[in-house]
Structures are given as C-alpha cells and as structure tokens.
Amino acid sequence: MDYLVELLYFFAAISFILGLKMLGSPVSALRGNILSALGMGFAVFATFFHQNVVSWDWIGLGCVIGSLLGIYSARSVKMTSMPEMVALLNGLGGLSSLLVGWAFYAESLDQITAFSICLSMFIGGVTCTGSVVAWGKLQGTVPSRPLLLPLHRLFIVLVGGMILLSILFATINPADQYMAYLVLIVASLLLGVVFVLPIGGADMPVVISLLNSYSGLAACASGCVIQNNLLIIAGSLVGASGIILTSIMCKAMNRRITQVLFGGFAPSVSLEGTLEKKMVKSLKPQDAYYLLEAARSILVVPGYGLAVAQAQHAIKELSALFMNNGAEVRYAIHPVAGRMPGHMNVLLAEAGIEYDKLIEMDDINPMMGNVDVCIVIGANDVVNPSAIEDEASPIYGMPVIEAHRAKHVLVLKRSMASGFAGIRNPLFFKENTSMLFGDAKATLQSLIVEMK
C-alpha cells in the first residue's frame, strides 16, 4: 500500500511541475490548470491509502465541502473580484499551515521538528491575517491608503521580539511549551495585520504575489512537520514562483520590495497646481466616431475600469468593426494593469480576443508614434506620463505604456478621479487627448452603434 501512495505522490509532483510550466503561456495555461488540478486529485486520493490516516470519514467530508465551495466560487465570483479571491485563497493556505503546526505541537518532538512547527505557525499566521487585510483593501472594506497604527514601529519591534522569543523557547525545549506556541500564534496573526496595513492600494498586486509566496513557504514548512515530500515539493514550487513573480512586478513598477513593504505611493503634488488650471476636451461618441472611422492603426489599453464595467465583450465587438473598416487593432498589456498579474490577459481571453493581438508594454512603446488612435479604457496609473516627464512624481521611473505619444488618445473614464495610486494623470490634459465620460460598456456600445 505504501508503494501505491508513493506512486500517486510521484504522479502528483510531476503534474504540479508540468502544470506550473504550462501556466507560463496563455496558449497552454488552461491545460496547465487542468493538469495541476489532476495532480491535486492524485494527492488527495493517495491520502485515503496512507497508513497514518485517522478518519477517512472526515477526509471525505472535507473533500465534498471543499469541492462544493470551489465550484460555487468559480461560477459566482466576478472577474473584477478575482484578486480578492486570490487573496482569500492565500489566507486559507496560511491558516491551513498554522493549523497543521498546531495539531502537532503537543507530540514528543525533536528540536528540528519543533523549529519546523514554529515556522509553519509563524509564516502561516502572517499569511492568513495579511491576506485578509489585503482582501479588505481590494474590496474597499479597509481603506486602500497606507494606514499606520500609533507607535507603529515600536509595536512591530515588540511583536517581532515576542515571535523570536517564542520560537527560541519552543525550539530549545519542545516539551511543555504550550504558552510559547500560543504566544507565537497570536503574535504572528498580529504581525500579518500590521505588515499589510501600511501598504497602499497601488502596491496590493505585489503584496498578493508576495503573500502567495509566503503561503507556499508555510506549506513547505508543514510538509517538513508531517514528513510529506509532496507537500514540500508543492510548497517549494508556490514559494519560488511567488518570489519570482514579485520580483518581476517590482521591476515593472520600478520599485524595490523594501519600498513596497515600508512605504506606499504618496499623492503627487508636483503638478497639482498646473493641472487644476487646465481644461480637458470632452467628446460624445458621435464625435469620436469620425476620428475612429478614419484611423488605420488602433491600440486599446485596458485597465481595471474595463473589468468593472464588464466591457470586454463590447470592445471585442467594436474591434471587429474597426478591422472590417480596414484598421489594425492591437491591445497593449501592462504587467501590473488591473489588480493582479495577468488580470487583463484573462479578461480579454474570456471575450475570445486572440492572444497574438495582446502586445507587451516593451514591444508596443517603440511603435506608439505610429498609432492613429489609442483608446484607454479604465486605465490610469499605467499610462501616466508623470513616470517619464515629472522627476518629482512618486512614480517617476516606473515603466508605463506611453499612450501620450500616439497621434490621438481617447480616454474612457467615469470621472476625473485619480487612479488606485491616488496620483493625478497629466495624460487627460494633453492636447492630443479627448475624454469620453461615462460607463465604459455603455460608451463602447454607443460607439458600436455609430460604427454600424
């Protein structure tokens, strides 16, 4: 029976590795997701044959409840809420690791296992509450601006000291250390809250990616606790991929990870006075039609506003009309557009837009001067020219899609409100920019009527 368990674990590990590799390309991402899910199925099925299983009834009940919740979430959660869903899943992963450590703390342990339990509890606790706070910031239940508690740094030092002392006591003398483990759990949960609260909403995609890595590290530590090789492999894959993704996103935002963790974006004041004196040009869809009808090169820059309006199918229909009119249509994708990595890719793929029309930022910027019309839909910070033109801006140096270099820019936006980073955008006041105010989906449908 042990051979069967190890064989199933082997197939599961291979499925995880190959599935993660396939997730790196939009073409194979769906197959990679299915393969990874199949690997998890192998892992769960193997558990039923494990000799240390206490109760098959509880495992079966957990599988049924988890499957029903997963199906419900997949069918009911909107695309705009996917980042919040990922944050909650990270938190549940951290909570699971904490509970695994808690379940094993009372056993007769050696020092290495005790240290693994402490790591599982510590990383799991920070991931759990940190992910809940990140979910709250994305959901709007917690203010997205950076929040500091009174004596914030002193509080972090005290909590950190409690964690270090708890780990030290529990590792040196694993027996009869109930209070040390209890203090470790409480302090870790508190640290997760104060870790994410000071981080601004604009940095939440990076934080979610980092917490995803933490959940993997916590799972790896749990694997060491229960001596499960598959859990160690899966946790290592998640931890490593999360760190790599965090590094890529920080590079895309021209930010260091220390900047993200210890200071969010501050509102830009360098151009505030100048922008207040300028006026924007507002168009009606009937007027924008003449500009679009004559265009031969059209670039669409999608943002979170496109997801909120659920306008991906409308832009697909409008793009088809542009192409029937003889125009070339492409989509510029910024690495951190939306609320999580790949948010816009998934959103446009849902509408059936071809992958080869999605162009990365570095590839489209050199061609921006030849674009007749750049349509910005709900994007703000990722097309902000302050990153290039204003050295006093907090986002100066951040790579952005240089929409302002197109011959004409049409911005679809509900209002003149700042983006998620809370920074004003001079693009809206450029001579070659016109604003189309209103719900993105309704505006696009009006343009469809005009094009037809």
Side-chain angles (χ1 to χ4, degrees):
M1 193 64 70
D2 289 339
Y3 291 108
L4 177 60
V5 172
E6 294 301 324
L7 183 63
L8 289 172
Y9 279 168
F10 174 77
F11 283 132
I14 296 299
S15 299
F16 290 154
I17 295 171
L18 294 179
L20 185 61
K21 173 66 176 176
M22 297 169 83
L23 288 174
S25 169
V27 178
S28 59
L30 179 59
R31 297 196 303 274
N33 198 25
I34 294 174
L35 184 60
S36 299
L38 183 63
M40 184 57 69
F42 283 140
V44 173
F45 188 65
T47 305
F48 284 95
F49 298 96
H50 202 283
Q51 61 181 358
N52 293 327
V53 169
V54 177
S55 173
W56 285 274
D57 297 338
W58 285 106
I59 295 175
L61 180 62
C63 289
V64 172
I65 295 175
S67 299
L68 292 176
L69 288 175
I71 293 172
Y72 172 77
S73 300
R75 295 179 65 89
S76 62
V77 174
K78 297 179 180 179
M79 185 58 62
T80 51
S81 301
M82 198 56 65
E84 293 96 308
M85 183 68 182
V86 173
L88 286 180
L89 291 176
N90 289 341
L92 289 175
L95 180 62
S96 299
S97 300
L98 187 151
L99 293 176
V100 168
W102 181 252
F104 276 78
Y105 86 95
E107 294 190 6
S108 178
L109 304 172
D110 56 71
Q111 291 181 334
I112 295 178
T113 305
F115 182 70
S116 298
I117 289 176
C118 290
L119 284 182
S120 179
M121 289 181 172
F122 165 55
I123 304 175
V126 171
T127 304
C128 177
T129 51
S131 297
V132 171
V133 175
W135 169 84
K137 282 179 175 281
L138 292 171
Q139 189 76 9
T141 54
V142 178
S144 62
R145 67 181 185 277
L147 297 174
L148 290 176
L149 299 175
L151 302 175
H152 188 85
R153 293 183 178 178
L154 178 61
F155 185 77
I156 289 180
V157 170
L158 291 176
V159 172
M162 293 168 60
I163 291 173
L164 289 176
L165 288 175
S166 300
I167 293 176
L168 184 63
F169 282 121
T171 303
I172 292 177
N173 182 21
D176 300 325
Q177 289 295 336
Y178 173 81
M179 186 56 64
Y181 287 115
L182 188 61
V183 170
L184 176 59
I185 291 174
V186 174
S188 299
L189 294 173
L190 285 174
L191 184 61
V193 175
V194 298
F195 165 68
V196 178
L197 274 180
I199 302 175
D203 289 321
M204 275 304 108
V206 180
V207 173
I208 290 176
S209 176
L210 186 63
L211 289 171
N212 179 250
S213 176
Y214 286 177
S215 69
L217 295 176
C220 185
S222 298
C224 294
V225 172
I226 64 176
Q227 298 182 357
N228 188 296
N229 293 331
L230 181 61
L231 192 54
I232 295 174
I233 293 173
S236 299
L237 289 172
V238 174
S241 60
I243 288 293
I244 293 171
L245 182 58
T246 302
S247 176
I248 292 173
M249 294 179 66
C250 286
K251 182 179 179 181
M253 298 172 67
N254 193 35
R255 306 266 282 160
R256 296 190 303 273
I257 188 64
T258 52
Q259 288 179 300
V260 174
L261 299 182
F262 303 111
F265 284 123
S268 177
V269 296
S270 58
L271 292 175
E272 288 292 318
T274 304
L275 295 181
E276 291 295 341
K277 298 176 183 178
K278 290 188 176 182
M279 299 292 291
V280 299
K281 290 182 292 185
S282 177
L283 292 182
K284 301 273 187 195
Q286 295 82 354
D287 302 319
Y289 158 74
Y290 294 102
L291 184 63
L292 293 167
E293 194 275 337
R296 289 297 169 262
S297 175
I298 297 176
L299 180 70
V300 179
V301 182
Y304 186 66
L306 178 74
V308 171
Q310 289 290 288
Q312 62 271 27
H313 297 283
I315 190 60
K316 167 71 182 304
E317 184 179 355
L318 184 60
S319 298
L321 294 174
F322 290 152
M323 288 185 286
N324 290 338
N325 193 44
E328 179 188 23
V329 181
R330 291 170 294 181
Y331 298 80
I333 306 298
H334 192 281
V336 294
R339 293 293 185 267
M340 62 183 295
H343 198 176
M344 294 299 104
N345 302 69
V346 175
L347 191 71
L348 297 176
E350 182 190 8
I353 294 173
E354 295 83 356
Y355 296 127
D356 59 355
K357 295 188 181 299
L358 275 57
I359 313 299
E360 298 294 333
M361 173 185 63
D362 293 336
D363 296 325
I364 201 64
N365 277 341
M367 301 182 284
M368 191 64 72
N370 298 322
V371 173
D372 292 330
V373 180
C374 179
I375 306 175
V376 179
I377 309 177
N380 197 322
D381 303 318
V382 298
V383 292
N384 194 329
S386 295
I388 302 171
E389 302 171 347
D390 182 14
E391 294 185 9
S393 173
I395 63 169
Y396 181 74
M398 170 182 166
V400 294
I401 296 173
E402 299 171 8
H404 60 281
R405 292 180 46 237
K407 296 175 184 176
H408 300 280
V409 182
L410 288 178
V411 179
L412 277 63
K413 193 169 168 59
R414 290 180 180 270
S415 68
M416 291 296 295
S418 301
F420 208 51
I423 301 171
R424 298 294 297 275
N425 193 342
L427 172 67
F428 306 152
F429 303 89
K430 296 281 186 181
E431 289 296 325
N432 62 334
T433 299
S434 299
M435 307 292 294
L436 290 172
F437 290 110
D439 177 77
K441 186 175 182 179
T443 301
L444 290 172
Q445 288 172 339
S446 296
L447 290 173
I448 290 171
V449 172
E450 294 299 323
M451 289 297 296
K452 285 182 176 180

